[in-house]
Amino acid sequence: QTDACESAAWFNSKYIMLMGANLLETRIPDAHFLTEARQNGAKVVAVFPEYNPVSIHSDEFVAVNPGTDGALCLGMVNVILNSLLYDEPYIKQFTDMPFLVRSDTGKFLREADLVAGGSAEKFYLWDLATGGAVLARGTSGFGTPVAGELDLGAVDPALEGAYSVATLTGNVSVTTVFELLKLKVAAYDTAWAATETGVPAADIVRFAQEFATTKPARIIEGAGTNHYYHNDLINRAQILLVALTGNVGVPGGGFD
């Protein structure tokens, strides 16, 4: 099992989405933390194909088509991106969203591309303050992490745009992970998500708005969701949702 926290941390949440986690039947010793979180003001949204015991004790039941939890999350991500509801300071500091990607190879821009003998495990950001590429601190190429290593200081990473970088083999066009993410997720609009999941488009918009603006928020995911092929990609969609909204590594937030 790979829970991100102990179940007592659920009490600190203010918005909880349950996906494939029928806690009142399958995690009886932990279930009281969920009901107590709800008593403490958290909204609990139960996303299941069936109306099960934990759905009865939730604020809202979402009847989703089996195996389409990932589609629901991608539809919510689409709304969050288009509505600018993502946590910009958080994703600049704590995710790879501002990392630069080479347009010619589709790979991260690395120190080895720019500096003879440079590391292949050091990546770059585009600093809006200086108008140039700067190393992204905290990657494995820097060795053992030290306190404050992820602090951006005066660096203001770009999340969008295309830039030209002088490499050892000539100028290369680069863009950001965030820019590529927007292009990828553009296909997963609410109309598509509603068709896939059976959840009305207006509800998908509302869930996205609530999840992004009610902090801390978390997804508690269970084995039910993971019984489907490509469940790892469903997990990635869920993790993307909590990462974009700044809910990873925050008491009461995250993906369990």
Side-chain angles (χ1 to χ4, degrees), residues 207-245:
F207 294 140
Q209 293 170 339
E210 291 176 352
F211 196 93
T213 59
T214 310
K215 290 190 175 184
R218 76 170 350 110
I219 294 173
I220 302 176
E221 188 242 26
T225 308
N226 284 333
H227 286 161
Y228 288 87
Y229 194 56
H230 288 317
N231 71 288
D232 59 320
L233 299 181
I234 297 175
N235 293 166
R236 287 175 183 270
Q238 294 165 319
I239 293 168
L240 176 60
L241 187 56
V242 293
L244 277 174
T245 55

Side-chain angles (χ1 to χ4, degrees), residues 88-120:
E88 183 171 321
Y90 180 93
I91 63 177
K92 283 186 174 185
Q93 184 173 1
F94 295 112
T95 76
D96 68 355
M97 300 290 177
F99 281 25
L100 296 178
V101 179
R102 296 176 58 130
S103 298
D104 57 347
T105 64
K107 295 183 177 181
F108 284 124
L109 182 70
R110 304 164 189 266
E111 187 184 45
D113 296 330
L114 275 65
V115 180
S119 171

